Every structure is written in C-alpha cells, then in structure tokens.
Amino acid sequence: MNFKAVIILTFLTIMASIATAREVIAFNQDWAFKKGPFTTDVLQYGNVFSGSWQVVSVPHTWNAKDMQVRNDRFTSNEKFYVGEAYYRKTITPEESWRGKRIFIKFEGVNTNSEVYINNSPLSSKKET
C-alpha cells in the first residue's frame, strides 16, 4: 500500500510541475531594423519611424556588409556605419496570457540600448 501511495504522489507531483512550467516562446524572428543617421529636429522626429524598414532576425549584425568594404587593399576600412539604429517588433499577446507574469529576455544587446513597450520606457543600458 505504501508503494502505491509513493507512486501516485510522484505522478501527481510530476503532473503539477508540468502544468506550472514556464512556456518559452521564440522571439528572434521578424524584427524590423532601421539604420540612421536620424534627425535631431523635434518637428521631424516622427519621420524616423516612417519609411522602409529591413526585416531581420536577431541576433543581427548591422555592419555585416559595410565592414567588408575597403577603399583599396592598403587602407583600413573606414566606411562602416557607427551611429544609431532602431529595432522594433510588434506582438499581440494571446488571451491565455491574461493574469500571467510575462518576461522578455534579451541576450546579446550590446553597448547602449533603450527598451520600450507600448511607447513607454522599460529599461536602458548605457556604457560610459
């Protein structure tokens, strides 16, 4: 009888842990990317977000092409872009997420970054 109780309790414990396990959703596909330079004119700032955006997957290297361009074989590459760029992604939460805690994990965000959700700042990373 004790052996049956241990088996049943073990089974119920495993089932409970499966039911409450975290669900991991891939977030790397279908990002929009736009490289600057961008205006500093407040009246024109809205135009930064219009126009064409490149669809990329992250991790993404924005200088993958221009880092390979050289003026000639004797000079170093000085034509690659080193300014600002934007990534954006639109996601619609599923109804099943209501009332749950949602975590978004970014790996490999380099240098300076600002994260916004619904146009509200979430966090930032600044290197000095």
Side-chain angles (χ1 to χ4, degrees):
M1 188 74 168
N2 283 341
F3 182 71
K4 273 187 176 180
V6 169
I7 296 295
I8 291 172
L9 283 175
T10 303
F11 177 75
L12 291 175
T13 303
I14 291 170
M15 293 307 292
S17 67
I18 290 172
T20 61
R22 288 187 179 168
E23 179 181 1
V24 177
I25 300 169
F27 206 61
N28 295 359
Q29 305 299 318
D30 300 323
W31 282 83
F33 170 75
K34 190 172 192 179
K35 188 173 8 178
F38 301 109
T39 183
T40 56
D41 181 358
V42 176
L43 297 175
Q44 297 296 321
Y45 190 71
N47 294 334
V48 168
F49 301 101
S50 62
S52 62
W53 289 69
Q54 177 185 357
V55 177
V56 299
S57 296
V58 292
H60 172 247
T61 302
W62 67 22
N63 285 337
K65 291 182 181 174
D66 59 4
M67 286 291 289
Q68 308 303 318
V69 176
R70 286 187 169 219
N71 297 335
D72 60 49
R73 65 184 186 152
F74 299 110
T75 60
S76 64
N77 177 5
E78 297 176 1
K79 291 190 172 196
F80 60 90
Y81 179 70
V82 292
E84 294 179 334
Y86 289 100
Y87 290 87
R88 71 180 180 188
K89 183 173 182 76
T90 301
I91 183 170
T92 303
E94 298 176 13
E95 184 61 33
S96 63
W97 297 0
R98 186 178 299 277
K100 294 183 180 179
R101 293 175 37 182
I102 307 298
F103 296 88
I104 300 174
K105 181 179 179 181
F106 293 96
E107 295 179 342
V109 175
N110 197 6
T111 315
N112 299 333
S113 63
E114 298 175 4
V115 177
Y116 292 79
I117 294 183
N118 295 334
N119 297 322
S120 298
L122 183 64
S123 68
S124 64
K125 175 187 173 191
K126 303 280 186 197
E127 279 191 7
T128 57

